[in-house]
Amino acid sequence: MSTGQASKWRTHSTNFYASQEPQLKPGCINISPCWFQQGHEVYGFMPEVSATLKGDRSLSVIQDMQRPGLISSAALRVMHPQLYRASISTHIELGHWADKQGLDDMCKFLQHWTSVYTGAAIMCNRKSPSHRDPKCPPEGFDILTCIGGYGHGVMQLTNLGIELAYDPGVMVSYSGRLVRHGVQVAEGDRIVWAWFMRDSVH
């Protein structure tokens, strides 16, 4: 979480609320075996491992994510078979590219990354104002899975004029670039797994 510019709402402290459970820490992390750091897409194809995977426990983090990664992949396989196949092809090509470039960590992480999505964001107790995800492919589906002990969760798809009850255990899929969306929760602790694709990686 940051206290810098409020326009950076994804990490700004005003968009997080305190946890009722002491072991939960409000915040947001992005995990990806192969992505572009902020603003680096303009320098050509030079992706790297996300900062959260540059520590000693990085492989165990990816292994702990394998089951949710498989579930998100299976959901995409049913909802959008063409995008699923394209994502599998991307994953394989990224592995070949990383191997040729001598990027051993990226190659190792890609071998253990079970999701067809290029990244995951894990958020705890974040309020999400209405926004789009401009770095996702327009035809791509983000998948959100919400867990925790909270009540009165609402997902707003503002440009569609739809509000959905967003209870724990709900999985929602939508095009992050095309649909303006936001989530508000009145009370309790909420953790969201957001699986996404980066257009520049694909």
Side-chain angles (χ1 to χ4, degrees), residues 68-80:
L70 289 169
I71 292 170
S72 69
S73 298
L76 185 64
R77 172 68 178 92
V78 171
M79 292 183 294
H80 199 322

Side-chain angles (χ1 to χ4, degrees), residues 10 38 59 75 80 82 86 88 91 127 140 149 158 167 193 201:
R10 285 178 172 83
Q38 189 71 31
L59 186 57
H80 199 322
Q82 290 173 304
I88 292 284
H91 191 110
K127 304 171 197 170
T158 52
D167 299 325
W193 285 71
V201 174

Side-chain angles (χ1 to χ4, degrees), residues 23-74:
Q23 69 269 26
L24 291 177
K25 304 254 185 264
C28 175
I29 60 170
N30 291 307
I31 300 172
S32 176
C34 180
W35 81 337
F36 290 92
Q37 301 297 347
Q38 189 71 31
H40 285 203
E41 286 98 336
V42 298
Y43 302 116
F45 192 75
M46 296 172 16
E48 58 184 281
V49 172
S50 65
T52 51
L53 292 179
K54 292 183 177 175
D56 295 337
R57 298 189 57 235
S58 51
L59 186 57
S60 65
V61 168
I62 286 180
Q63 289 170 332
D64 288 343
M65 294 173 61
Q66 286 179 336
R67 181 173 289 176
L70 289 169
I71 292 170
S72 69
S73 298

Side-chain angles (χ1 to χ4, degrees), residues 84-98:
Y84 173 85
R85 286 191 295 276
S87 297
I88 292 284
S89 296
T90 298
H91 191 110
I92 292 167
E93 290 302 318
L94 285 172
H96 291 316
W97 178 84

